[in-house]
């Protein structure tokens, strides 16, 4: 059989324009198209349960791409994703349930509101870096959730708010499949946007800020505006993910957006691969499905150890933690690095010398 | 490209294949459902056995499991075996969403026995859509609504708000002295569980007990604040110490608050709602005696019986424990609570089977629960009654008091409906 990886042989770039193309060659374009088509055909042969999980994973993909723009590409650590998801969710809840707006206007508006609030919390990023910035975004997490929990007239306080699924005319996105398609379309659009962002002037400025901000400033990049812009763009996407999640669960409460959620999203981009859109996608799917896979494992093991529910339950959390630690030690580049290694290995196989 | 396609298809096949497999036997605690052919009814469980409320969640889940294991060993419900499929969600609301999806779509359960306030409230809209009755261990007043907000939720014990109102009535009747009793509400503001009954208690005091009971400014202590003395001290700088408190936490934080208030010299009668009461309020071990002293006289709401009580309803529990080579010392009050909750669900399943000839669905279970009238738990808890416009089974509670580390009942079942 012809090695599928060596088909890229003789594929030379002869102009800068070609070097900048989103798809390296026509085959990559076809491959991407096939994957997207398969994702759209997916509900035809999957059970409701799998589609439900895929919907949750797709929402996580949107959020993880948003966070990766900030942390992976611009190098600004954020521990406040949970709170920005909450802002998106609550904004959409207030706009649709309290003010009676249409979902289709509320969704981008919720993104904009999150972008403004995210931008505000991005202001300290000019002076703060690394751990200091992490603590500042941690403050965002605490402050935002504190306000949401106590501003009862607006947010319903501890009992949260109820939302409904979006509608188009008579059609409601109530079924598993319809909501999956809605989320998938937005996830695909987000992916395309993020991939293109890093081919633009703004995206390149983000990369420069990440790699060495002093050098970037000397080159004429306005650090302050680009850092705040990165916070705003990232928060916009995270806000959209928050709104989608809120309309999926049809309820928003403070406890949905705890610190744990922020850490899960950080884990997604770390495990997937910092600074890679593909990595964010892989990581989001991996972290969303890991507890499910471990649940299956526990279920399987209880056949042999029927009375060990409690032990196995905590064992599941132990494995979850262990997987993340092992990733950070043995593959800090994340899943996307593993994938690239596999590709590179086969590129010259079997004559890899 | 081919390889990636093959990998991708393989991944999809793995996902799809995993779920098109025959249903697993579910909870290993029950017998294999295949044994009785299709006479199986599937119920789901959402437990917290390893999370933030695992101290009370684990024995509660054990009680539910034990009940279904016991009933299956007796031949099931009217010949139908109960396949009780439960999973630990570790008090993580987003994980609860996943587990719920698995119960609904993968296992196709007809009803769910749940756990916490935050996740129950977060699921209430979805369960209406899916028509899956949901019986939670959260007694939040928000779940009482029988319409579009939480129409498939049921409360099997007095709601937190009713518990708080009942305490106010008890204080009004039992307060000694001429002054108006001053009651402080101690809770975590913004926390769905802890804050749940607060506004209702205040409203009740204002409308029904105006001039008889005075509510002081709130004492706001976060659940994670393990050293609440500073908060208590600054509160007492502007307020007089209260005559009574109504605390709404679980065991750990309740004892911290009582310890620190006593350290400040408060002579308050400390009282709390049902998750503050129970054996675990006083930890065993080296520090046991210290806590016995600090908590002496504490009064808590007791919704379900202690296993050490001599009650007719304890007979099946004792029979079950004996078959496992265990005794009442191995279980606690939360086990009984789980057992009692499961037994009410079993009654509903039994009614639904009679109504439908065995092809039971979620709406059938809902109708069955709504038809339950004066179901007796033989002392394990207050008798419950439901109706289509009433999803709160009872408003009856007992009050128990700690004396030398032992819980003594100081009232019989009573509720605000009696006033």
């Amino acid at each position: 059989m012809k090695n599928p990886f060596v088909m890229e042989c003789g594929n030379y770039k002869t102009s800068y324009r070609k070097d900048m193309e989103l798809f390296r060659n026509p085959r990559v374009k076809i491959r991407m198209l096939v994957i997207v088509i398969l994702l759209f055909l997916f509900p035809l042969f999957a059970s409701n349960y799998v589609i439900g999980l895929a919907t949750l994973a797709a929402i996580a993909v949107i959020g993880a791409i948003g966070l990766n723009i900030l942390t992976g590409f611009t190098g600004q650590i954020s521990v406040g994703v949970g709170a920005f998801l909450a802002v998106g969710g609550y904004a959409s809840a207030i706009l649709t349930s309290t003010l009676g707006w249409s979902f289709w206007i509320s969704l981008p508006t919720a993104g904009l509101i999150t972008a403004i609030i995210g931008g505000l919390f991005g202001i300290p990023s000019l002076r703060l870096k690394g751990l200091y910035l992490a603590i500042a975004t941690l403050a965002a997490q605490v402050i935002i959730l504190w306000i949401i929990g106590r501003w009862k007239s607006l947010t319903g306080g501890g009992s949260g708010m109820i939302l409904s699924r979006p509608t188009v005319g008579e059609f409601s996105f109530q079924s598993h499949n319809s909501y999956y398609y809605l989320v998938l379309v937005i996830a695909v659009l987000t992916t395309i946007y993020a991939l293109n962002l890093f081919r633009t002037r703004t995206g390149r400025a983000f990369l420069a800020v990440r790699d060495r901000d002093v050098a970037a400033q000397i080159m004429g990049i306005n650090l302050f505006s680009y850092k705040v812009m990165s916070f705003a763009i990232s928060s916009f996407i995270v806000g959209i993910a928050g709104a989608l999640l809120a309309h999926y669960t049809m309820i928003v409460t403070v406890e949905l957006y705890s610190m744990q959620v922020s850490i899960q999203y950080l884990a997604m981009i770390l495990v997937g691969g910092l600074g890679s859109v593909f990595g964010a996608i892989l990581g989001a799917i991996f972290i969303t499905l890991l507890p499910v896979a471990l649940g299956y494992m526990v279920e399987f093991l209880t056949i042999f150890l029927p009375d060990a529910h409690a032990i196995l339950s905590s064992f599941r959390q132990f494995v979850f933690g262990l997987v993340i630690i092992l990733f950070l030690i043995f593959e800090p580049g994340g899943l996307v690095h593993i994938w690239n290694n596999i590709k590179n290995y086969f590129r010259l196989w079997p004559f890899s010398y | 490209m081919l390889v990636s396609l093959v990998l991708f298809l393989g991944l999809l096949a793995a996902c799809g294949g995993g779920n098109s497999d025959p249903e697993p036997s579910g909870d290993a605690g029950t017998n294999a459902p295949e044994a009785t052919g299709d006479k199986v009814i599937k119920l789901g469980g959402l437990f917290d056995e390893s999370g933030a409320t695992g101290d009370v969640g684990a024995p509660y889940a054990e009680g539910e499991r034990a009940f279904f294991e016991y009933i299956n060993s007796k031949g099931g419900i009217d010949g139908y075996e109960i396949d009780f499929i439960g999973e630990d969600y570790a008090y993580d609301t987003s994980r609860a969403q996943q587990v719920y999806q698995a119960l609904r779509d993968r296992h196709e359960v007809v009803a769910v026995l749940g756990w916490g306030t935050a996740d129950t409230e977060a699921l209430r809209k979805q369960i209406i859509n899916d028509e899956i009755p949901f019986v939670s261990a959260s007694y939040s007043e928000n779940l009482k609504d029988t319409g579009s907000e939480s129409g498939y939720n049921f409360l099997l014990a007095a709601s937190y708000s009713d518990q708080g109102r009942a305490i106010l009535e008890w204080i009004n009747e039992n307060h000694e002295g001429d002054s108006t009793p001053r009651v402080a509400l101690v809770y975590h503001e913004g926390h769905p569980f802890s804050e749940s009954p607060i506004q209702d208690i205040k409203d009740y005091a204002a409308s029904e007990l105006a001039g008889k009971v005075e509510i002081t400014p709130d004492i706001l202590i976060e659940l994670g604040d393990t050293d609440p003395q500073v908060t208590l001290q600054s509160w007492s700088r502007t307020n007089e110490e209260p005559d009574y408190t109504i605390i709404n936490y679980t065991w750990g934080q309740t004892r911290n608050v009582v310890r620190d208030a006593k350290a400040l010299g408060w002579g308050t009668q400390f009282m709390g709602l049902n998750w503050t009461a129970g054996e675990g309020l006083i930890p065993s071990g080296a520090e046991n005696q210290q806590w016995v002293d600090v908590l002496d006289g504490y009064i808590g709401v007791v919704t379900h019986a202690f296993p050490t009580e001599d009650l007719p309803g304890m007979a099946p529990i004792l029979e079950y424990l004996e078959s496992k080579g265990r005794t009442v010392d191995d279980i606690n009050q939360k086990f009984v609570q789980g057992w009692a909750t499961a037994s009410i669900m079993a009654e509903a399943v039994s009614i639904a089977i009679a109504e439908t000839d065995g092809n039971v669905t979620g709406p059938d279970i809902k109708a069955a629960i709504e038809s339950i009238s004066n179901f007796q738990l033989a002392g394990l808890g207050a008798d419950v009654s439901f109706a289509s416009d009433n999803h709160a089974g009872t408003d009856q509670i007992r009050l128990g008091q700690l004396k030398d580390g032992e819980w003594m009942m100081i009232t019989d079942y009573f509720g605000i409906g009696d006033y």
Side-chain angles (χ1 to χ4, degrees), chain A residues 323-341:
Chain A
V323 165
I324 291 172
I325 292 174
L326 291 180
F327 251 105
L328 296 183
I329 294 174
F330 293 108
E331 191 50 276
L335 287 167
V336 73
H337 196 230
I338 295 178
W339 173 244
N340 286 336
N341 281 347

Side-chain angles (χ1 to χ4, degrees), chain B residues 319-399:
Chain B
E319 189 188 334
Y320 168 81
L321 289 173
E322 202 173 320
S323 74
K324 294 275 155 189
R326 300 165 72 193
T327 66
V328 280
D329 296 330
D330 299 325
I331 62 171
N332 63 26
Q333 192 237 349
K334 302 307 168 202
F335 179 98
V336 177
Q337 192 167 349
W339 180 286
T341 305
S343 67
I344 298 171
M345 178 55 81
E347 169 70 6
V349 170
S350 170
I351 295 171
I353 290 172
E355 293 288 323
T356 60
D357 297 330
N359 192 18
V360 176
T361 63
D364 297 331
I365 299 273
K366 177 176 184 267
I369 301 177
E370 285 172 349
S371 72
I372 290 177
S373 176
N374 269 328
F375 179 69
Q376 298 187 349
L377 288 163
L380 296 186
D383 299 347
V384 289
S385 299
F386 299 91
S388 56
D389 59 351
N390 171 29
H391 285 190
T394 180
D395 62 3
Q396 301 279 307
I397 59 160
R398 288 187 297 171
L399 291 178

Side-chain angles (χ1 to χ4, degrees), chain B residues 64-312:
Chain B
E64 289 181 330
R65 283 198 173 104
F67 176 82
F68 289 116
E69 193 182 343
Y70 172 78
I71 207 97
N72 282 338
S73 73
K74 295 279 165 192
I77 302 173
D78 305 332
Y80 283 79
E81 183 149 14
I82 300 298
D83 187 10
F84 184 51
I85 305 150
E87 201 169 320
D88 175 27
Y89 75 102
Y91 209 66
D92 170 358
T93 314
S94 52
R95 177 76 191 126
Q97 169 73 31
Q98 282 185 347
V99 174
Y100 170 73
Q101 283 184 0
L103 293 174
R104 177 190 66 196
D105 297 327
R106 203 178 127 223
H107 301 294
E108 296 177 341
V109 299
V110 290
V112 175
L113 299 167
W115 175 247
T117 301
D119 43 283
T120 303
E121 291 193 357
L123 288 170
R124 68 194 142 126
K125 188 84 179 165
Q126 289 181 64
I127 61 164
I128 295 177
N129 259 351
D130 305 329
E131 300 188 320
I132 295 177
F134 198 104
V135 170
S136 167
S138 161
Y139 308 127
S140 168
E141 189 93 346
N142 284 334
L143 305 171
K144 257 187 173 181
D145 170 76
T146 54
S148 62
E149 294 233 322
S150 51
Y152 270 74
N153 283 101
F154 292 88
L155 301 182
L156 303 197
S159 76
Y160 297 137
S161 302
D162 284 344
Q163 295 179 19
R165 293 175 188 129
I167 286 184
L168 288 184
E169 289 290 357
W170 183 87
I171 290 172
N172 182 37
E173 273 190 10
N174 293 276
H175 181 66
E176 289 166 1
D178 301 328
S179 61
T180 314
R182 302 175 72 254
V183 181
L185 307 179
V186 190
Y187 64 99
H188 178 166
E189 192 181 21
H191 191 282
F193 152 67
S194 190
E195 196 188 284
S196 162
I198 301 303
Q199 194 55 46
D200 290 325
I201 294 175
K202 287 181 186 168
D203 292 347
Y204 190 78
S207 65
E208 306 294 322
L209 295 168
K212 296 177 187 163
V213 171
E214 183 195 340
I215 303 283
T216 66
D218 299 339
I219 302 177
L220 304 175
I221 296 171
E222 300 213 346
L223 275 162
D225 180 1
T226 50
D227 186 16
Q229 192 163 2
V230 181
T231 316
L232 289 166
Q233 205 160 17
S234 65
W235 186 87
S236 61
R237 201 165 288 148
T238 45
N239 299 281
E240 270 179 64
E241 76 180 53
D243 299 314
Y244 300 87
T245 64
I246 299 179
I247 302 174
N248 195 25
Y249 298 125
T250 54
W251 293 334
Q253 184 66 331
T254 304
R255 68 173 96 96
N256 287 336
V257 170
V258 176
R259 174 198 62 199
D260 286 0
K262 288 214 170 156
L264 292 171
W266 288 17
T268 305
Q269 170 63 58
F270 292 97
M271 303 179 80
L273 303 188
N274 71 304
W275 295 110
T276 69
E279 293 89 337
L281 184 60
I282 296 185
S284 54
E287 294 185 342
N288 173 267
Q289 192 55 45
Q290 173 204 329
W291 291 110
V292 168
D293 296 340
V294 164
L295 291 160
D296 203 46
Y298 180 85
I299 295 178
V301 170
V302 179
T303 52
H304 293 79
F306 283 89
T308 44
E309 291 182 76
D310 184 19
L311 298 162

